[in-house]
Amino acid sequence: MIKNYFKNTWEGLYTILIGMKITWKHLFVPSVTLQYPEERAKLPERARNRLFLNYNDCIGCMQCAAACPVNCIEIETVKGIPTDMPDPTSKGQKKALWVTKFDIDEGKCCFCQLCVAPCPTEAIYMTDIYEYSEFDRDNLVYNFASLTKEEVQQKQDNFDKFQAEKEAQKLEAAKAKAEADAKKAAEEKAKLEVKPSNDEKKED
Amino acid sequence: MQNYLIEIFGSEIVAYILATVPVLAFIVLFVLFAVWLERKVSAHMQDRLGPMRVGWHGVLQTLADFLKLLQKEDIIATANDKALFNIAPYVVFVTTLATFTMLPFTSIFIGSNADVGIFFVLAFSGAVVAGILMAGWASNNKYSLYGSLRSAAQIVSYEIPTALVVLTMIMLYGTMSLGEITIAQTSHFWNWGIFGGPELGLAKILLVPFMFVAFIILFISTLAESNRTPFDLPESESELVAGFNTEYSGIKFSMFFLSEFANMFLIGSILVIFFFGGYNSPFGYLGNLLGIEWLIPIEQLLWFLGKGMFFVFVDMWLRWTLPRVRVDQLMTICWKYLIPYAFFNLLIVGLILLI
Ligand code: SF4
Ligand code: SF4
């Protein structure tokens, strides 16, 4: 009982000294924190931060938008017409579509990088920029498409015109074909009409 | 000091007011420095850097914070007891400041070399509890009330071991005046209290271990009285928001803050005066060596502040080492451990002094 009492006292003081020794040692350990705006932590090589799109390389295949689990990529495309095709990508892949809208809502993005893998042209990738906070949430929606409104309208009109022409051609072709068909059918019919008489003759 | 000022100004009141100015200035400067030190020590003990922006390694950070505090609105809630609420910070601060009058900073600068020195210090540091209770009660906030009641329980309990150890030391020195206690420890560091004081021969050797015990007890109990971690139950941020000063803002809050840090220096200097020779230098004075009279008090002041600061540093060191004790542990430490030890220490030192 009395022995325990002294043991408690001793342990109380002794353990405090052990603790003090530890804190004393830490007093001289160099700081692990950084003076942030001046010093920055070195990011790992494949760190995932703000998403970036190299617009000139995007062929508008929408694979990334399909892969995104939170639907933060919005793409709209217009087909190019033979006389007004977009330039090929930096690696020479042909583009068939004008990408009229490519918005990434960086506020929604969860940095899963699922959109990067399926891209056939490696146009979309993660950068090492992580300071992009905004006062207004809407400013986090990044518009990567560099076509102006008028350009978009023009492409759309071009395409519509092209389509209309094509439609007209098709209609004409269809008409021609229908005429031809009708002709053919008439001929067939005529043949058919002729045929039975032949048959009859044969039977006879 | 006062006599000198009375002679110059011919009026006692002016002289007394002027005599408090250096002490007040010292407290404010000390607190500015100590808060910075506390932040730095805590930061480095946690492998951080602490304030780094304002001035060299953030030395002016506390000044900036203090200026910010002064500009804050002085909020008084409608449910507060206005009179008590307004008086409380001043009671706390003034009682703390009053204890500083008894401290012998150097052989020539001592606020009052009264014969009841240490008794006065104990009485006034006990009176702080009145201010804290006022603050807690007048805030009309349950957390503040808990904080102040805990503070009262704590300070009243820990007065007992403090008083017992102080009694031991008074027996050893045969005086209650802090100035005379310091003078008794002059000339060599083996005359310091921790090495048995001015006694000679066998008694001195016998006294050393008991003086050491007395020192530990006094250190723990005064630490508890100044409401510092690990005994910061009255403020315990994690349970009581900020304890008794939850409702205070601006200048009144800084008064509490000021007195907490002033209290830290006070307990450090009480330990220094009792056990480490007060303002005495352990190696003799440069002033004596060079024959420059006026250098001696300056050296003494530096020694006193240096030793006091060392204990302030140990307080901070402990603060960032130990977690806060529980209320029942707090009472166990006091009533089951410190008081019996202090009591037996008193008896044994008494016996040694008799033979
Ligand atoms: S990183 Fe993930 S969440 Fe962000 S855009 Fe790509 S697929 Fe969507
Ligand atoms: S997967 Fe690549 S090419 Fe396809 S739409 Fe997305 S960014 Fe453009």
Side-chain angles (χ1 to χ4, degrees):
Chain A
M1 175 54 195
I2 197 84
K3 214 177 131 195
N4 217 9
Y5 182 79
F6 285 112
K7 207 179 131 218
N8 275 346
T9 316
W10 169 248
E11 273 186 357
L13 293 175
Y14 181 66
T15 46
I16 288 175
L17 288 182
I18 292 176
M20 287 175 78
K21 198 177 135 202
I22 291 171
T23 36
W24 179 257
K25 272 190 198 151
H26 274 274
L27 197 53
F28 301 103
V29 170
S31 144
V32 293
T33 54
L34 293 172
Q35 288 303 96
Y36 164 60
E38 288 99 49
E39 297 170 32
R40 275 152 210 267
K42 203 175 167 296
L43 290 173
E45 206 178 317
R46 289 189 283 171
R48 302 177 192 172
N49 289 296
R50 187 167 72 182
L51 205 53
F52 180 74
L53 174 85
N54 183 353
Y55 177 69
N56 289 337
D57 273 4
C58 177
I59 58 169
C61 66
M62 298 210 192
Q63 301 249 40
C64 51
C68 179
V70 293
N71 291 339
C72 60
I73 305 179
E74 256 179 62
I75 306 176
E76 275 170 19
T77 52
V78 170
K79 260 194 183 152
I81 54 171
T83 49
D84 184 26
M85 266 307 190
D87 295 334
T89 66
S90 56
K91 291 204 190 84
Q93 282 127 315
K94 279 214 182 74
K95 285 195 214 168
L97 303 167
W98 286 104
V99 181
T100 50
K101 180 179 175 194
F102 198 112
D103 288 357
I104 300 181
D105 189 345
E106 305 274 359
K108 274 195 207 161
C109 177
C110 64
F111 308 103
C112 61
Q113 214 176 9
L114 288 177
C115 53
V116 175
C119 180
T121 57
E122 289 170 17
I124 191 165
Y125 52 86
M126 295 282 186
T127 58
D128 57 359
I129 297 163
Y130 50 87
E131 297 150 310
Y132 57 99
S133 45
E134 295 280 354
F135 281 104
D136 191 346
R137 206 190 302 171
D138 294 338
N139 291 348
L140 281 172
V141 180
Y142 283 41
N143 309 318
F144 286 103
S146 58
L147 294 179
T148 59
K149 242 183 189 162
E150 291 77 47
E151 274 174 321
V152 169
Q153 195 55 49
Q154 187 206 336
K155 305 289 172 205
Q156 187 68 46
D157 290 348
N158 274 351
F159 177 68
D160 287 346
K161 222 164 93 195
F162 179 70
Q163 198 74 349
E165 276 168 19
K166 223 168 144 190
E167 204 76 350
Q169 274 174 17
K170 227 191 212 167
L171 254 162
E172 237 161 68
K175 222 173 167 185
K177 207 179 163 205
E179 268 167 29
D181 279 359
K183 227 176 176 180
K184 223 177 178 184
E187 274 171 20
E188 293 275 291
K189 214 178 166 189
K191 256 185 204 163
L192 272 176
E193 267 164 22
V194 176
K195 255 181 193 168
S197 57
N198 286 353
D199 284 350
E200 268 167 61
K201 267 183 190 170
K202 235 183 194 174
E203 264 172 36
D204 291 340
Chain B
M1 180 84 188
Q2 282 85 346
N3 297 337
Y4 181 62
L5 285 173
I6 291 169
E7 269 174 36
I8 293 178
F9 294 101
S11 151
E12 284 196 7
I13 294 169
V14 174
Y16 284 134
I17 289 172
L18 278 181
T20 56
V21 169
V23 178
L24 201 59
F26 164 73
I27 289 180
V28 172
L29 286 179
F30 164 78
V31 170
L32 285 182
F33 176 71
V35 172
W36 173 76
L37 188 73
E38 164 109 57
R39 286 166 152 196
K40 278 308 210 190
V41 166
S42 65
H44 283 279
M45 277 182 178
Q46 297 169 341
D47 302 347
R48 294 184 285 117
L49 283 171
M52 290 291 280
R53 301 261 176 239
V54 193
W56 178 83
H57 279 243
V59 270
L60 298 177
Q61 182 68 51
T62 352
L63 192 65
D65 288 350
F66 194 67
L67 289 179
K68 189 200 79 176
L69 261 183
L70 289 185
Q71 298 167 18
K72 289 275 168 192
E73 185 191 349
D74 183 15
I75 299 168
I76 303 173
T78 24
N80 289 343
D81 183 334
K82 304 241 163 22
L84 286 183
F85 187 80
N86 289 334
I87 293 172
Y90 300 100
V91 172
V92 172
F93 183 68
V94 167
T95 44
T96 311
L97 181 63
T99 52
F100 272 76
T101 54
M102 291 293 153
L103 296 183
F105 282 92
T106 74
S107 49
I108 58 162
F109 185 82
I110 168 168
S112 153
N113 199 3
D115 286 338
V116 288
I118 185 62
F119 181 66
F120 183 90
V121 171
L122 283 187
F124 268 77
S125 57
V128 171
V129 80
I132 291 177
L133 262 180
M134 269 184 190
W137 189 262
S139 293
N140 208 349
N141 168 339
K142 50 183 171 287
Y143 295 116
S144 303
L145 186 59
Y146 274 136
S148 60
L149 289 182
R150 279 184 187 185
S151 169
Q154 179 175 328
I155 294 184
V156 170
S157 304
Y158 278 86
E159 290 268 88
I160 300 168
T162 313
L164 285 173
V165 174
V166 166
L167 202 57
T168 318
M169 300 316 287
I170 292 170
M171 268 172 16
L172 181 70
Y173 294 117
T175 171
M176 288 213 279
S177 154
L178 291 176
E180 277 168 41
I181 288 174
T182 314
I183 289 166
Q185 303 175 66
T186 34
S187 71
H188 297 293
F189 68 85
W190 53 83
N191 282 344
W192 288 4
I194 193 100
F195 301 114
E199 293 289 318
L200 284 176
L202 186 63
K204 191 174 173 79
I205 296 161
L206 284 177
L207 272 175
V208 175
F210 297 103
M211 285 297 116
F212 192 70
V213 173
F215 163 66
I216 302 263
I217 295 171
L218 190 63
F219 184 73
I220 296 174
S221 57
T222 47
L223 190 63
E225 273 191 70
S226 70
N227 295 337
R228 293 276 305 172
T229 339
F231 302 106
D232 67 340
L233 289 143
E235 282 170 40
S236 44
E237 301 91 347
S238 45
E239 315 148 29
L240 298 182
V241 193
F244 60 86
N245 55 31
T246 307
E247 295 284 329
Y248 285 88
S249 67
I251 184 83
K252 286 188 193 138
F253 172 74
S254 53
M255 287 260 170
F256 283 119
F257 211 65
L258 220 57
S259 54
E260 181 188 330
F261 276 84
N263 239 326
M264 266 169 84
F265 184 78
L266 179 76
I267 66 168
S269 50
I270 294 292
L271 287 168
V272 166
I273 290 164
F274 275 145
F275 296 102
F276 295 93
Y279 54 71
N280 289 311
S281 149
F283 316 113
Y285 297 107
L286 209 62
N288 273 338
L289 208 66
L290 302 176
I292 309 169
E293 275 287 308
W294 55 263
L295 206 58
I296 297 175
I298 294 172
E299 275 181 68
Q300 286 174 334
L301 183 68
L302 288 180
W303 276 110
F304 186 75
L305 296 186
K307 291 174 192 172
M309 281 308 297
F310 174 75
F311 282 101
V312 170
F313 171 74
V314 174
D315 283 357
M316 292 171 183
W317 185 2
L318 273 172
R319 173 166 182 185
W320 297 100
T321 303
L322 297 177
R324 182 183 306 131
V325 295
R326 278 198 322 257
V327 180
D328 63 323
Q329 290 169 335
L330 178 90
M331 290 301 162
T332 308
I333 293 169
C334 178
W335 293 96
K336 288 196 187 157
Y337 289 91
L338 293 184
I339 293 181
Y341 277 119
F343 201 67
F344 279 104
N345 208 43
L346 174 71
L347 285 182
I348 293 170
V349 171
L351 280 177
I352 294 173
L353 288 176
L354 274 183
I355 51 173

